[in-house]
Amino acid sequence: MCCSKMICDGCDHANKIREAERRLEYSCLFCRKPTVATDEECDKQRMKRIEANDPVAIKLEGVVQYRIGDHNKAFEYYTKAAELGDVEAHY
């Protein structure tokens, strides 16, 4: 996770082929930052996006909270993401 932009699988696949053929470091299609290597880096980047009110990152934090068993906190994140326009947060 980097800038939380959603892209189609075909575009992602084409970019990965391009990066592999040119021996480039894997990076985000939108901001060109290198992809994160550890869970800690991923968590840090997600929190940065949450602070920026990114609805995709907020929904993903809801998923994380749900998986660790904090359903109340998950509900709060899903609700906020839905209010910010993430339609998947409704489900």
Side-chain angles (χ1 to χ4, degrees), residues 11-48:
C11 292
D12 184 47
H13 181 70
N15 185 59
K16 286 180 180 172
I17 289 172
R18 180 188 65 83
E19 290 172 335
E21 287 174 347
R22 295 180 185 172
R23 296 185 176 153
L24 301 171
E25 184 176 11
Y26 291 117
S27 62
C28 173
L29 283 170
F30 291 96
C31 69
R32 299 292 185 207
K33 288 185 180 178
T35 55
V36 294
T38 66
D39 289 341
E40 292 81 24
E41 289 176 309
C42 186
D43 292 342
K44 183 179 174 183
Q45 191 63 28
R46 187 175 57 252
M47 288 303 159
K48 182 179 173 183

Side-chain angles (χ1 to χ4, degrees), residues 52-64:
N53 276 331
D54 183 329
V56 174
I58 294 169
K59 180 196 65 180
L60 290 175
E61 184 63 22
V63 171
V64 169

Side-chain angles (χ1 to χ4, degrees), residues 1 4 6 46 49-50 53-67 73-91:
M1 162 158 320
S4 301
M6 301 289 288
R46 187 175 57 252
R49 297 304 311 148
I50 288 170
N53 276 331
D54 183 329
V56 174
I58 294 169
K59 180 196 65 180
L60 290 175
E61 184 63 22
V63 171
V64 169
Q65 295 300 319
Y66 183 84
R67 287 182 179 160
K73 195 169 255 188
F75 180 76
E76 290 174 20
Y77 281 110
Y78 286 139
T79 301
K80 185 172 181 179
E83 288 170 353
L84 291 171
D86 188 319
V87 295
E88 291 181 2
H90 288 281
Y91 300 100

